[in-house]
């Protein structure tokens, strides 16, 4: 169950089920009260209350860039310059080892990068 902290009305996120995950999508940036109820096999119910502060709805506004090269080469090939999509596809031209560099730029312009090595066998 959940509700905005200023509200009196609880909303049922999920009735008793055997799954272990319940997702709640906040509608606004306010404090929410959450009540988790668990029922055991004998019907005994235990409750846990918590408060969550939502500061603003989250939005991914980062940009992804990817580069690759054959391991024996010095020249990097741009697979994608910074774009908002979350997947980059690279089609290797031959069965050799490749170096891959993935860069992510956040909304403030900060860039993080990670290098990978892969071996294409076929």
């Amino acid at each position: 169950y959940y509700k905005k902290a200023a509200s009196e009305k609880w909303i049922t996120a999920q009735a008793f089920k055997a799954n272990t995950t319940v997702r709640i999508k906040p509608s606004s940036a306010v404090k929410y009260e959450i009540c988790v109820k668990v029922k055991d096999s004998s019907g005994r119910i235990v409750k846990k209350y918590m408060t969550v502060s939502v500061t603003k709805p989250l939005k991914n506004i980062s940009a992804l860039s990817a580069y690759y090269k054959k391991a024996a080469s010095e020249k990097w090939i741009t697979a994608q310059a910074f774009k908002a999509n979350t997947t980059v596809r690279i089609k290797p031209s031959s069965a050799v080892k490749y170096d891959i560099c993935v860069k992510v730029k956040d909304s403030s312009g900060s860039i993080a990068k990670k290098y990978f090595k892969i071996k294409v066998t076929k």
Side-chain angles (χ1 to χ4, degrees):
Y1 302 90
Y2 69 101
K3 68 181 185 83
K4 291 180 180 177
S7 175
E8 295 293 323
K9 184 179 178 187
W10 288 93
I11 299 166
T12 302
Q14 176 181 294
F16 290 109
K17 291 187 180 180
N19 63 314
T20 58
T21 304
V22 177
R23 295 184 190 264
I24 299 170
K25 185 174 181 182
S27 60
S28 53
V30 296
K31 284 188 179 183
Y32 285 85
E33 293 179 17
I34 298 172
C35 175
V36 178
K37 292 183 182 181
V38 179
K39 185 185 336 181
D40 66 14
S41 59
S42 65
R44 190 176 79 126
I45 296 173
V46 176
K47 300 177 191 178
K48 175 75 176 179
Y49 290 92
M50 59 197 87
T51 302
V52 176
S53 294
V54 177
T55 55
K56 63 181 176 178
L58 298 176
K59 182 179 177 184
N60 183 0
I61 53 175
S62 60
L64 182 65
S65 185
Y67 304 87
Y68 69 100
K69 69 178 184 71
K70 291 181 180 178
S73 175
E74 295 294 320
K75 184 178 179 191
W76 288 91
I77 300 166
T78 302
Q80 173 181 299
F82 289 107
K83 292 186 180 176
N85 59 310
T86 58
T87 304
V88 177
R89 296 187 188 271
I90 298 171
K91 186 174 181 179
S93 60
S94 55
V96 296
K97 291 181 181 178
Y98 285 87
D99 295 325
I100 298 173
C101 176
V102 177
K103 294 181 180 181
V104 179
K105 183 178 357 178
D106 67 14
S107 60
S108 67
S110 297
I111 296 174
K113 60 184 168 182
K114 180 78 175 179
Y115 290 93
F116 303 92
K117 292 183 181 294
I118 63 166
K119 182 179 180 181
V120 177
T121 56
K122 291 185 180 183

